[in-house]
Amino acid sequence: MIARVKRRNPTGNQKGKRAMQFGMTEEQSMIVDTTRAFVENELYPHELDVERTGHLDMDLVREIQKKAIDAGLYAANMPEEVGGAGLDTLTWLMYEKELGRANYALHWTAVARPSNILLAGTDEQKEKYLYPCMKGEKWDCLAMTEPGAGSDLRGMTASAREEGGDYVLNGTKHFISHADIADFSIVFMATGEEDTARGPKKKITAFFVDKGTPGFTIRDGYQNVSHRGYTNAVLEFDDCRLPKSAILGEVDKGFEVANTWLGATRLQVAATCLGRAERALQHATEYAAERKQFGQKIGKFQGVSFKLADMATELKAANLLTWEAGWKFDQGTVTESDMSMAKLKATEMLAFVADEAIQIHGGMGLMDELPLERIWRDARVERIWEGTSEIQRHIISREMLRALGA
């Protein structure tokens, strides 16, 4: 059973400062060991089938889901008071790293981590949406991205207008992850505009929209080279009418609720990248220690040994950036730059490590008998979703320049 350690506070505010420790606690070691064993025993055996078919069998998902619930791994990202494991941010990231070793569709669906934005709901909303997700009875999805507005959320055109005491939604969202299996969507819509010193700015409101609501259509999305089995969808809203009780948070305060409860998603991406990179490096190291060419192990050749050294160094740097940001999140001292650096480094490191691991294996690295070609493909999307590498660099440099008044 996964340990219950200090509760994670999603707002990042916590009393009492303490020195950062580089060694894992006994509880953290147990969580890492438990999660890794689950991944290796329950997820690895099904990876190849999902990768080759691009299909995630829901009967299999339910089977693994039950085992994850019994092991205390399901929804472990959530606070104890709602039935989660109550992990602090740093421990949660260690847990995410272990899950990240496996096929994304398998670990994200069968060992689900409901979005902690659900914690912002009213008591009635929590009963309808949060608690069923915690029990594995429902899945959620977040809908922000639009065809003409990716990272520029202020450029969204999908809107909601008040009418007769209700809100009427119109517009399109795309790239919405696993919306096909989600029982409801948390949808961000423009609900007005305000003048600012930099010009007009959209006001955004978040809504709960149940699958099957009239005027709400879910269509198949795009075929993605990364994360086979993990689908995306297009959401269409055509005079979709919702009661005011469907609003998450307050009207026109959608960005506030998102910023409060979704702040650590970049670190989650970073952590899962660490797990895949570590798996790729392990394969490369073992192969270099076993494979013989020209009368000696290929790891003896400088061309291979230096690759291993560079891969290990980059991985360690990404680990340290991610763990530091997670630790600072719990201390209430994390900055946007801290999280962006971790996300930027981990995602670009994964691309480097995956590519070098394949190079060390030669032609076999591209065969699907090994997970390397999958890790290599999957790495590509990590530099795009949850904010592109360019957006992360913009955030980092902006914080540097602002300190000098620029």
Side-chain angles (χ1 to χ4, degrees):
M1 197 71 173
I2 196 167
R4 293 178 182 272
V5 296
K6 181 185 63 183
R7 184 177 71 85
R8 173 171 166 252
N9 184 344
T11 63
N13 296 317
Q14 188 172 345
K15 293 180 179 179
K17 299 293 189 293
R18 55 190 176 86
M20 185 175 183
Q21 303 297 317
F22 287 92
M24 287 192 291
T25 65
E26 183 177 343
E27 292 87 355
Q28 288 171 335
S29 295
M30 189 273 286
I31 289 168
V32 167
D33 292 344
T34 301
T35 309
R36 184 177 299 183
F38 188 91
V39 167
E40 292 176 347
N41 295 328
E42 305 297 341
L43 302 187
Y44 280 6
H46 305 290
E47 285 184 319
L48 190 54
D49 184 59
V50 175
E51 289 296 327
R52 287 180 172 175
T53 65
H55 174 70
L56 191 62
D57 183 80
M58 293 309 292
D59 288 335
L60 173 64
V61 167
R62 290 297 185 187
E63 179 185 328
I64 300 174
Q65 182 187 55
K66 183 180 184 307
K67 293 177 181 179
I69 291 171
D70 291 343
L73 293 171
Y74 199 86
N77 61 306
M78 300 296 268
E80 279 187 87
E81 56 262 33
V82 297
L87 305 183
D88 62 272
T89 307
L90 179 56
T91 308
W92 167 61
L93 294 175
M94 294 177 180
Y95 155 85
E96 290 288 345
K97 176 183 175 180
E98 298 308 316
L99 290 175
R101 295 172 180 274
N103 165 278
Y104 203 89
L106 275 170
H107 79 71
W108 190 258
T109 312
V111 196
R113 284 83 81 201
S115 173
N116 63 2
I117 200 172
L118 295 170
L119 296 167
T122 63
D123 289 342
E124 291 76 15
Q125 289 171 339
K126 289 177 182 177
E127 288 292 336
K128 184 176 181 179
Y129 298 110
L130 171 61
Y131 298 121
C133 287
M134 296 296 299
K135 298 172 185 175
E137 298 168 356
K138 288 185 178 182
W139 281 282
D140 64 305
C141 73
L142 289 172
M144 293 187 183
T145 307
E146 296 181 9
S151 297
D152 179 19
L153 295 180
R154 294 290 187 184
M156 68 171 60
T157 59
S159 64
R161 70 178 189 277
E162 189 173 5
E163 183 180 282
D166 296 331
Y167 277 84
V168 179
L169 280 57
N170 283 284
T172 301
K173 302 288 183 179
H174 78 161
F175 294 151
I176 308 307
S177 298
H178 57 82
D180 57 332
I181 67 167
D183 297 275
F184 64 93
S185 302
I186 300 168
V187 182
F188 290 77
M189 292 284 190
T191 46
E193 199 171 72
E194 61 183 339
D195 291 326
T196 71
R198 296 186 176 183
K201 184 174 72 172
K202 295 283 178 67
K203 296 179 181 178
I204 306 297
T205 303
F207 297 87
F208 286 105
V209 187
D210 295 324
K211 182 178 284 186
T213 300
F216 175 38
T217 303
I218 302 174
R219 302 196 185 282
D220 289 341
Y222 314 96
Q223 291 297 317
N224 188 0
V225 69
S226 298
H227 300 318
R228 288 178 183 165
Y230 187 76
T231 58
N232 67 84
V234 176
L235 309 188
E236 296 177 348
F237 300 88
D238 183 10
D239 287 339
C240 176
R241 184 176 291 272
L242 300 174
K244 287 185 178 180
S245 60
I247 295 172
L248 175 59
E250 300 178 38
V251 175
D252 299 336
K253 301 294 184 181
F255 273 114
E256 285 81 350
V257 72
N259 289 336
T260 298
W261 296 97
L262 299 179
T265 53
R266 280 170 286 173
L267 298 183
Q268 186 176 40
V269 171
T272 57
C273 286
L274 297 177
R276 266 172 283 150
E278 194 168 276
R279 187 177 177 186
L281 178 57
Q282 181 180 355
H283 275 280
T285 305
E286 291 174 354
Y287 189 76
E290 296 168 0
R291 172 71 165 164
K292 279 189 175 182
Q293 288 282 278
F294 308 106
Q296 63 178 336
K297 304 291 179 63
I298 65 171
K300 296 288 188 178
F301 294 109
Q302 191 177 85
V304 173
S305 64
F306 278 20
K307 287 182 185 298
L308 294 174
D310 288 342
M311 293 158 73
T313 301
E314 290 299 305
L315 175 56
K316 186 168 186 177
N319 263 292
L320 290 171
L321 279 169
T322 305
W323 298 159
E324 183 201 36
W327 176 80
K328 290 175 74 173
F329 198 95
D330 286 325
Q331 303 305 305
T333 59
V334 73
T335 66
E336 291 295 315
S337 182
D338 291 327
M339 293 188 285
S340 287
M341 284 183 181
K343 201 267 185 183
L344 176 65
K345 184 63 177 180
T347 56
E348 298 204 342
M349 174 278 300
L350 175 59
F352 167 74
V353 168
D355 195 73
E356 291 288 64
I358 286 177
Q359 195 70 18
I360 289 171
H361 279 79
M364 278 306 299
L366 290 170
M367 303 301 111
D368 69 1
E369 280 77 11
L370 292 173
L372 297 178
E373 60 85 25
R374 185 261 299 176
I375 293 172
W376 183 61
R377 283 186 287 103
D378 290 352
R380 192 60 189 89
V381 74
E382 308 297 348
R383 289 176 281 160
I384 296 174
W385 65 4
E386 293 300 335
T388 64
S389 290
E390 289 74 22
I391 288 293
Q392 307 309 326
R393 287 185 167 93
H394 172 69
I395 292 170
I396 295 164
S397 61
R398 181 182 61 189
E399 197 166 292
M400 295 169 64
L401 293 168
R402 279 181 176 171
L404 299 176

